[in-house]
Amino acid sequence: MRVIALSTLKAFWDDQPGYADAKAAGLAWYQHALKADWSSPADVKTDFGNASVLRDGRVVFNIAGNKYRLVVWINYPYRVVYIRFIGTHAQYDHIDAQTI
């Protein structure tokens, strides 16, 4: 898969020292996603059983032992993953994962 944009993840843990513990798990997710070949939501669920598949290609991943949430939009035909949001559960509760 092609993942856009790693800079979103880096900004989260680099710009906010309190979230530095997300770095290892975020990079692990990123490396896994680069090697993945997700052609459908079922493929994502096979790789990440705890991922929440939403409408229109949106997927929510639990990162760093369920401490953080990562929202992506996946264009399955083109094999592109767009990172839309990363944050704590409290921050996630204040967004609409379908529209962010």
Side-chain angles (χ1 to χ4, degrees):
M1 303 296 288
R2 192 167 140 221
V3 181
I4 302 171
L6 177 60
S7 61
T8 303
L9 295 176
K10 286 182 177 180
F12 179 71
W13 59 68
D14 286 343
D15 296 349
Q16 304 170 66
Y19 302 136
D21 61 335
K23 184 175 184 175
L27 287 175
W29 176 89
Y30 177 78
Q31 291 298 323
H32 186 97
L34 285 177
K35 296 175 186 169
D37 185 23
W38 299 324
S39 62
S40 70
D43 292 339
V44 176
K45 287 295 279 184
T46 298
D47 274 358
F48 293 94
N50 65 347
S52 299
V53 176
L54 308 177
R55 297 185 319 265
D56 301 324
R58 299 288 178 138
V59 181
V60 180
F61 296 93
N62 293 313
I63 302 293
N66 207 20
K67 187 172 181 182
Y68 302 103
R69 293 231 169 137
L70 173 66
V71 179
V72 303
W73 176 72
I74 302 175
N75 183 324
Y76 294 101
Y78 289 96
R79 304 296 198 272
V80 179
V81 177
Y82 297 90
I83 297 171
R84 307 298 300 150
F85 169 85
I86 183 170
T88 65
H89 280 263
Q91 292 165 335
Y92 174 83
D93 289 342
H94 293 290
I95 66 158
D96 179 358
Q98 280 299 149
T99 60
I100 194 164

